[in-house]
Amino acid sequence: QVQLVESGGGMAQSGGSLRLSCAASGLTFSSYTQGWFRQRPGKEREFVSGIIWSGIPYYADPVKGRFTITRDNAKNTVYLQMNSLKPEDTAVYYCAARNSVGVLTAQSAYAYWGQGTQVTVSS
């Protein structure tokens, strides 16, 4: 079965950096679109970033210029490098995958999800 396992969450100070990883198994990783979502306290889950099979990235406006998504198809892993972190980036971050070309921002477009990893940014 498909499994997505996130790692790399933790605590950082405002202005700091963290790198999240999402290791995938049970799917043809190179043909899947990968996404990162987050759920901030008291908020609904929201799209953060996505990347198609060829490596073209997409970002939500709040993270543009600060976050970078990449993928390593040989390692079946997608990464989210988060720089210049802000307290409002505090959230549980989820990795997601969809078996179709194109990055979509709707949660319903993604069939597979990881368990989430907590990111906490202190001021």
Side-chain angles (χ1 to χ4, degrees):
Q1 71 278 21
V2 176
Q3 280 194 315
L4 302 177
V5 180
E6 301 100 334
S7 61
M11 299 186 67
Q13 291 191 329
S14 183
S17 299
L18 286 172
R19 189 175 84 152
L20 305 183
S21 300
C22 173
S25 60
L27 51 75
T28 307
F29 181 81
S30 59
S31 65
Y32 274 66
T33 294
Q34 301 290 328
W36 286 98
F37 288 75
R38 68 185 181 187
Q39 188 163 16
R40 294 183 285 174
K43 305 281 188 179
E44 294 194 354
R45 196 175 298 185
E46 62 184 358
F47 173 80
V48 173
S49 181
I51 188 166
I52 65 172
W53 64 273
S54 63
I56 297 176
Y58 298 85
Y59 301 98
D61 286 344
V63 307
K64 280 182 181 175
R66 301 189 297 121
F67 291 10
T68 303
I69 188 171
T70 56
R71 65 188 296 158
D72 186 335
N73 289 338
K75 295 183 178 179
N76 285 9
T77 301
V78 61
Y79 304 96
L80 187 68
Q81 178 67 44
M82 305 186 295
N83 297 331
S84 301
L85 283 163
K86 303 176 181 180
E88 51 264 43
D89 294 319
T90 294
V92 178
Y93 283 74
Y94 297 89
C95 175
R98 62 187 300 265
N99 186 15
S100 185
V101 176
V103 174
L104 298 182
T105 61
Q107 297 181 59
S108 58
Y110 295 79
Y112 305 105
W113 291 83
Q115 81 287 353
T117 185
Q118 176 71 45
V119 170
T120 303
V121 183
S122 59
S123 57

